[in-house]
């Protein structure tokens, strides 16, 4: 699933920071490089990983490469998170219902004993 690749791409703090920068608007590769203390080729590799994960898209404008967030990649992540959230919400709701039911076995075990004996 492409969404899982997105989570792997975002595991890197530099890539997360690039996504944060791009959340404010598109930027040229040079503008992104200027925000970091790493080489341009290193930032290019990070941008490639984000593109491959479907989180960033790049367009060419004259001699500049402009990067922007790709909402589709984040939509994939949101769908995956919604599925996981729905699964666990249902399971936790069922657990809560089960735990809130009276437990006759427990009551029978303690029946006949005074509070001090328990």
């Amino acid at each position: 699933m492409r969404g899982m690749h997105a989570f792997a791409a975002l595991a890197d703090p530099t890539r997360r920071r690039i996504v944060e920068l791009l959340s404010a608007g598109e930027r040229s590769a040079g503008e992104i490089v200027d925000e970091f203390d790493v080489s341009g080729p290193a930032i290019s590799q990070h941008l490639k990983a984000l593109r491959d994960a479907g989180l960033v898209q790049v367009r060419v404008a004259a001699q500049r490469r402009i990067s922007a967030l790709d909402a589709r990649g984040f939509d994939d992540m949101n769908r995956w998170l919604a599925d996981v959230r729905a699964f666990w919400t249902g399971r936790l709701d069922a657990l809560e219902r089960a735990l809130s039911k009276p437990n006759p076995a427990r009551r029978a075990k303690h029946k006949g004993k005074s509070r001090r004996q328990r």
Side-chain angles (χ1 to χ4, degrees), residues 92-110:
L92 292 173
D93 288 347
L95 176 61
E96 183 179 14
R97 285 190 301 275
L99 292 174
S100 66
K101 288 181 182 177
N103 185 340
R106 185 171 177 220
R107 221 178 295 139
K109 183 178 175 182
H110 293 291

Side-chain angles (χ1 to χ4, degrees), residues 7-103:
F7 286 111
L10 292 174
D12 183 278
T14 300
R15 293 183 195 139
R16 285 194 307 272
R17 179 69 182 126
I18 291 171
V19 167
E20 290 170 0
L21 290 170
L22 294 175
S23 69
E26 62 184 26
R27 292 178 183 245
S28 70
E31 290 171 326
I32 295 170
V33 169
D34 289 344
E35 296 288 331
F36 295 92
D37 292 329
V38 296
S39 69
I43 294 299
S44 291
Q45 289 299 312
H46 286 297
L47 285 168
K48 180 183 183 320
L50 291 168
R51 276 193 320 274
D52 291 348
L55 299 174
V56 170
Q57 55 189 347
V58 177
R59 67 180 171 82
V60 177
Q63 303 218 350
R64 297 173 8 144
R65 296 176 58 88
I66 308 297
S67 296
L69 293 182
D70 187 340
R72 294 172 298 184
F74 291 95
D75 290 344
D76 289 344
M77 291 174 66
N78 280 330
R79 276 191 292 280
W80 184 84
L81 286 169
D83 290 346
V84 170
R85 200 174 290 121
F87 172 81
W88 281 110
T89 299
R91 299 286 188 207
L92 292 173
D93 288 347
L95 176 61
E96 183 179 14
R97 285 190 301 275
L99 292 174
S100 66
K101 288 181 182 177
N103 185 340

